[in-house]
Structures are given as structure tokens and as C-alpha cells.
């Protein structure tokens, strides 16, 4: 994914341009919500598995209601997501438009199918719609948090949010993480040590942990997360992958990393993939990581590749990360006081400050380009 600066927000003083911008954003929001519907009801997968379908065929195959399926199919074709064939133009069906609509076939183009259904593709972004779907029911709670300074946790956002987070990153971890780290000798050499002990802090569903386990068969992996459903999903994934003997997942606070069994045995490497900005007390966690890793080990943080400094208008990376921050990461971080309230837009200087508070000497940006929306850092002991 590459950030763009196209369609930058209009400048002040142009009411018509700003109105057009909000109207276009509304159309985009409708598309995202409609993608959420098609994703969760299995409609896109049915079109991939079967090929072109009528509204009746789609409803029958997925156990849904034909009238709703028809409206969704028409909206998707009107928006250019699906392609429609139109038998309604024939004279035999002209007298009964509803019958014509039920007979119309709809197809999902291959390129769109990859984006919406191929969980192994780097272009798979359907889970982003699940984030939007998860935010909707929490809007009253978010408004209350904005008034009072409280929070809305990942647990409140629920399975749609945690699954979306895991699924949108999964292809990057499975396809690109190992080759990316292999090109960084300071990291690869440590991971290649015989019997290397590796901890993945904030591991979520464990896709990063399992990717490292596959790439480094002599290593022993430990994933740590505070979210019970995520740890359960990671353990199930490890069993399914046949890696449970080398990849163990712990329900624990990473600030107590020294208690991970076997307690006190140091790690060769520690990773924190896209989680430091969510932590209410990041310096405490990084301090625990520093103390748990050997002096000749390596500590790597992967977080959002936002700009070095605040700019306005900003590029698309900063804009989307502010969106995550408003509705997911900042409310989650503030849901567990006391909290530093980092938010998603954690700039390099902020991470450097947390690292130094934790006892690290400095933070080095690793030479990793074009890894989704992320930047890799090595914390220098």
C-alpha cells in the first residue's frame, strides 16, 4: 500500500468544493458499509465460488432474503463493484420490472474478488470495512468518552474489530515478514541462533509469531497478549499449523514479561508489531522488554509509518491513522488509566522518548521500505 496525496482536502473558503468533498466521502462510506454487509453475509464468497448469480440464487445459496440481496446487488453494480447483465431490456420482461430484476445476473470481477475475498493477497482490504462496522455500535460510548475522558476498549469493539485487525495484517506477516527481516543482518543473525528464544509482545492472533516460527525452525517463540479471545485464536492457529511445540501463547501483561515461563530465562529477540501505540503505559512495557532480552539480543518495534512531524493537510497515511486513532486506538488506550494516551499517530520522536524512559540508549529506523503502512525500528540498548 502506498500513500498518495491525490484529492487533498480543499482549502478554506471554497464552500462548493468542500461540500463536494463531503458528498464524495459519503459515497465512500456507503461503499464501505455495503462491503461490510457483503463480507459478513458471505455474498462475495458466494459469487467467487459459484460465478454470476441472480438475487434469488445469491439468497438461496447464502440463506438470506432475496429482496435485500437484490437491493445490495443493484447498489454494488451501480457503484462499479459488481458487473451486471441486464435481461430486463428484453420485451418479454419489460412488463414486469421486478421479475426482470430477479433474473439479472451479477458477477464479481477477478481483481475485485482478490481485494474482497483473497485472504492471502497483499491487496486484501475487506477487513477494513469490519472496523467501520465495529465502530458504529460504539458511537454513543465514544461520544461519552470524548466528553468525560474515558475510553472504549478493544473488548467493547468486539470480534469484528479484533478479527479485522488480525486479517488485514495476516498476508503481510505470512508473505513479507520473514523476507523483510532476512534483509536486516542485525535482526536475521540473532533469529538464526540455534535455539533462539523470541518473544512477540502484543501478538494478537499470532500471525507474526507463526511467521517467525516458520522462517526460523530452530527458534522457540512466545507470544504475549492481554486479550483473551486473541490468545485463544493464536493457540488454535498454532495447533492447526503444527507449530504448537515451538510457538506458545500467553495471556499476560507484557509489563510482567519476566514471569513468562520458564521465568527469568532471557530472550534473544523481542518484537512488538503495531501495538506500542495502543499501550496505556508503553515505557513500562519497553522497560520489561529491555530487561528480558540478552545484552547481545535485538528489540524491534513495528508501528505506523506516519510523518516525522505534524503537517496539514497531510498525506493519506497520516489521514487514515488519525481515523484509527479517533475511533479505535486512542479510546482503547484511554480505557485503562493511568494512560499516556498515545493514539495511532505515534511519530518517531514519541517512540524515542518512550524507549529512553525505558532505559534504551536510542532508536534506529531500520532500512525497510514498502511494508504496508509500517515503519520498523530497532531499540538500541
Amino acid at each position: 500500500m502506498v500513500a498518495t496525496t491525490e484529492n487533498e482536502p480543499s482549502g478554506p473558503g471554497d464552500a462548493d468544493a468542500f461540500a463536494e468533498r463531503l458528498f464524495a466521502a459519503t459515497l465512500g462510506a456507503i461503499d464501505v458499509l455495503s462491503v461490510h454487509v457483503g463480507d459478513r453475509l458471505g455474498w462475495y464468497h458466494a459469487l467467487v465460488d459459484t460465478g454470476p448469480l441472480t438475487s434469488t440464487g445469491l439468497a438461496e445459496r447464502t440463506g438470506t432474503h432475496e429482496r435485500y440481496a437484490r437491493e445490495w446487488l443493484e447498489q454494488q453494480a451501480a457503484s462499479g463493484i459488481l458487473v451486471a447483465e441486464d435481461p430486463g431490456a428484453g420485451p418479454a420482461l419489460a412488463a414486469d420490472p421486478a421479475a426482470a430484476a430477479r433474473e439479472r445476473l451479477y458477477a464479481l470481477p477477478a481483481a475485485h474478488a482478490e481485494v474482497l475475498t483473497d485472504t492471502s493477497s497483499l491487496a486484501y482490504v475487506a477487513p477494513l470495512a469490519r472496523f467501520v462496522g465495529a465502530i458504529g455500535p460504539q458511537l454513543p460510548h465514544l461520544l461519552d468518552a470524548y466528553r468525560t475522558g474515558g475510553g472504549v476498549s478493544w473488548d467493547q469493539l468486539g470480534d469484528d474489530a479484533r478479527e479485522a485487525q488480525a486479517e488485514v495484517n495476516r498476508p503481510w506477516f505470512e508473505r513479507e515478514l520473514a523476507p523483510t527481516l532476512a534483509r536486516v543482518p542485525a535482526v536475521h543473525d540473532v533469529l538464526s541462533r540455534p535455539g533462539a528464544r523470541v518473544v512477540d509482545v502484543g501478538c494478537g492472533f499470532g500471525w507474526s509469531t507463526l511467521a517467525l516460527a516458520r522462517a526460523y525452525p530452530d527458534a522457540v517463540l512466545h507470544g504475549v497478549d492481554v486479550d483473551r479471545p486473541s490468545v485463544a485464536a493464536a493457540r488454535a492457529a498454532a495447533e492447526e499449523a503444527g507449530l504448537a511445540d515451538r510457538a506458545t501463547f500467553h495471556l499476560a501483561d507484557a509489563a510482567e514479561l519476566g514471569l513468562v515461563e520458564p521465568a527469568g530465562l532471557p530472550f534473544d529477540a523481542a518484537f512488538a508489531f503495531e501495538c506500542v501505540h495502543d499501550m496505556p503505559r508503553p515505557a513500562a512495557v519497553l522497560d520489561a522488554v529491555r530487561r528480558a532480552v540478552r545484552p547481545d539480543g535485538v528489540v524491534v518495534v513495528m508501528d505506523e509509518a506516519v510523518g516525522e512531524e505534524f503537517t496539514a493537510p497531510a498525506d493519506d497515511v497520516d489521514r487514515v491513522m488519525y481515523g484509527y486513532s479517533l475511533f479505535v486506538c486512542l479510546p482503547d488506550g484511554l480505557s485503562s488509566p493511568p494512560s499516556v494516551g498515545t493514539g495511532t499517530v505515534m511519530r518517531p520522536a514519541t517512540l524515542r522518548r518512550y524507549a529512553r524512559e525505558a532505559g534504551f540508549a536510542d532508536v534506529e529506523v531500520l532500512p525497510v521500505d514498502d511494508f504496508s503502512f509500517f515503519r520498523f525500528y530497532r531499540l538500541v540498548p
Side-chain angles (χ1 to χ4, degrees), residues 108-182:
L108 180 60
H112 296 187
E114 179 180 350
V115 171
L116 295 169
T117 67
D118 185 352
T119 59
S120 67
S121 172
L122 299 182
Y124 178 59
V125 294
L128 298 182
R130 297 188 197 175
F131 270 116
V132 177
I135 291 165
Q138 297 303 320
L139 284 173
H141 302 293
L142 286 164
L143 291 174
D144 182 65
Y146 271 53
R147 293 186 181 103
T148 65
V152 175
S153 68
W154 273 95
D155 197 49
Q156 288 174 269
L157 287 165
D159 286 343
D160 270 350
R162 58 169 60 95
E163 289 175 8
Q165 176 69 25
E167 287 196 19
V168 79
N169 284 342
R170 179 180 178 179
W172 286 91
F173 288 144
E174 291 188 335
R175 294 180 54 176
E176 297 296 323
L177 183 59
T180 294
L181 297 180

Side-chain angles (χ1 to χ4, degrees), residues 305-311 314-323 345 347:
V306 295
E308 297 274 346
E309 298 179 351
F310 171 77
T311 57
D315 66 16
D316 287 353
V317 172
D318 273 34
R319 291 179 66 193
V320 75
M321 295 311 166
Y322 273 116
V345 188
R347 304 197 188 279

Side-chain angles (χ1 to χ4, degrees), residues 5-359:
T5 55
E6 295 179 5
N7 300 318
E8 288 185 352
S10 58
D14 190 338
D16 288 342
F18 185 60
E20 289 177 5
R21 174 190 168 194
L22 289 188
F23 180 71
T26 301
L27 293 177
I30 291 168
D31 281 347
V32 169
L33 290 172
S34 73
V35 166
H36 176 71
V37 170
D39 177 42
R40 300 314 273 163
L41 292 177
W43 284 345
Y44 292 123
H45 283 280
L47 288 163
V48 169
D49 294 342
T50 305
L53 286 169
T54 64
S55 59
T56 301
L58 181 63
E60 289 176 349
R61 183 169 180 85
T62 57
T64 53
H65 193 279
E66 184 277 332
R67 183 64 188 90
Y68 282 112
R70 191 193 330 159
E71 198 75 2
W72 179 82
L73 287 165
E74 290 183 2
Q75 182 274 336
Q76 295 283 281
S79 293
I81 298 173
L82 300 181
V83 175
E85 299 177 9
D86 193 5
L93 295 173
D96 190 347
R102 287 192 295 271
E103 292 299 319
R104 186 180 294 122
L105 284 167
Y106 297 86
L108 180 60
H112 296 187
E114 179 180 350
V115 171
L116 295 169
T117 67
D118 185 352
T119 59
S120 67
S121 172
L122 299 182
Y124 178 59
V125 294
L128 298 182
R130 297 188 197 175
F131 270 116
V132 177
I135 291 165
Q138 297 303 320
L139 284 173
H141 302 293
L142 286 164
L143 291 174
D144 182 65
Y146 271 53
R147 293 186 181 103
T148 65
V152 175
S153 68
W154 273 95
D155 197 49
Q156 288 174 269
L157 287 165
D159 286 343
D160 270 350
R162 58 169 60 95
E163 289 175 8
Q165 176 69 25
E167 287 196 19
V168 79
N169 284 342
R170 179 180 178 179
W172 286 91
F173 288 144
E174 291 188 335
R175 294 180 54 176
E176 297 296 323
L177 183 59
T180 294
L181 297 180
R183 293 191 292 270
V184 183
V187 179
H188 175 70
D189 291 349
V190 172
L191 291 173
S192 300
R193 293 173 181 171
R197 295 187 76 243
V198 181
V199 64
D200 186 357
V201 172
C203 64
F205 278 37
W207 300 123
S208 51
T209 319
L210 298 178
L212 293 172
R214 290 188 186 93
Y216 297 94
D218 291 332
V220 176
L221 285 296
H222 292 268
V224 178
D225 206 289
V226 296
D227 184 61
R228 186 179 298 274
S230 294
V231 171
R235 289 170 176 168
E239 290 285 352
E240 184 177 351
L243 293 169
D245 60 328
R246 291 194 299 110
T248 306
F249 293 94
H250 308 266
L251 180 64
D253 185 341
E256 300 176 352
L257 201 56
L259 301 179
V260 171
E261 294 294 335
L265 192 62
F267 293 99
D268 293 274
F271 294 88
F273 295 106
E274 201 190 10
C275 63
V276 171
H277 69 257
D278 286 310
M279 296 173 181
R281 295 165 290 280
V285 172
L286 295 178
D287 177 59
V289 168
R290 179 184 59 80
R291 288 183 284 107
V293 174
R294 299 176 184 277
D296 61 349
V298 66
V299 177
V300 173
V301 170
M302 182 195 86
D303 222 284
E304 321 300 348
V306 295
E308 297 274 346
E309 298 179 351
F310 171 77
T311 57
D315 66 16
D316 287 353
V317 172
D318 273 34
R319 291 179 66 193
V320 75
M321 295 311 166
Y322 273 116
Y324 280 120
S325 198
L326 285 172
F327 301 115
V328 180
C329 299
L330 182 57
D332 172 65
L334 291 175
S335 71
S336 180
S339 172
V340 296
T342 306
T344 319
V345 188
M346 184 176 71
R347 304 197 188 279
T350 301
L351 176 61
R352 183 170 287 107
R353 173 163 55 85
Y354 293 157
R356 286 175 174 168
E357 290 174 3

